[in-house]
């Protein structure tokens, strides 16, 4: 298996994996998210392939100080085999190469499996509140 940066030709397979993993939401357009990350100078999409099959992804980017991770997805038949950990390691390595000192991520309070996963990787609750405002009408 290899982990590499995805390109525009991977968009449909990536969005399908995000959907299968339950990561898409009606209020977020995953195609637009893919396109923005792919076009950005401070972001990328990493994917794990086994032969031609895309089995895991992670979106990673930064603002120069804080890195952010989104869309960590592992195909359902490949979960609990260390792929999520490997994808997070790849995201962390990418951020280190970019000179970014800190990684943040957001997890819904109701997602106990994800909270447990990140706890096992050594991530801590940062004791902050994330505020949001939609900029679309």
């Amino acid at each position: 298996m290899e982990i590499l940066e995805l390109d525009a030709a991977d968009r449909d397979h990536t969005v399908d994996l995000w959907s299968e993993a339950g990561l898409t939401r009606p209020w977020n357009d995953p195609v637009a998210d893919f396109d923005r990350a792919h076009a950005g100078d401070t972001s990328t999409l990493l994917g794990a392939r086994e032969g031609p099959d895309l089995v895991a992804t992670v979106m990673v980017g930064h603002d120069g100080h804080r890195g952010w991770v989104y869309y960590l997805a592992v195909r359902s038949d490949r979960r609990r085999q260390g792929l999520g950990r490997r994808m997070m390691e790849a995201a962390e390595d990418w951020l280190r190469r970019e000179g970014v000192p800190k990684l943040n991520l957001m997890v819904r309070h109701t997602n106990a499996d994800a909270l447990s996963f990140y706890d096992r990787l050594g991530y801590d609750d940062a004791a902050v509140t994330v505020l949001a405002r939609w900029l679309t009408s």
Side-chain angles (χ1 to χ4, degrees), residues 45-105:
L45 295 133
L46 303 174
R49 290 196 183 284
E50 287 185 334
D53 297 329
L54 184 64
V55 295
T57 66
V58 66
M59 179 188 293
V60 60
H62 67 86
D63 61 14
H65 175 69
R66 286 182 179 86
W68 289 91
V69 164
Y70 302 93
Y71 289 107
L72 174 64
V74 176
R75 203 170 69 189
S76 60
D77 65 338
R78 295 303 315 276
R79 292 185 186 144
R80 309 248 184 249
Q81 298 175 21
L83 286 173
R85 177 181 294 271
R86 288 187 63 190
M87 296 308 294
M88 284 303 294
E89 289 169 354
E92 291 171 359
D93 289 344
W94 187 89
L95 289 167
R96 283 186 193 97
R97 287 191 302 276
E98 292 285 308
V100 177
K102 182 179 184 182
L103 171 57
N104 289 10
L105 52 90

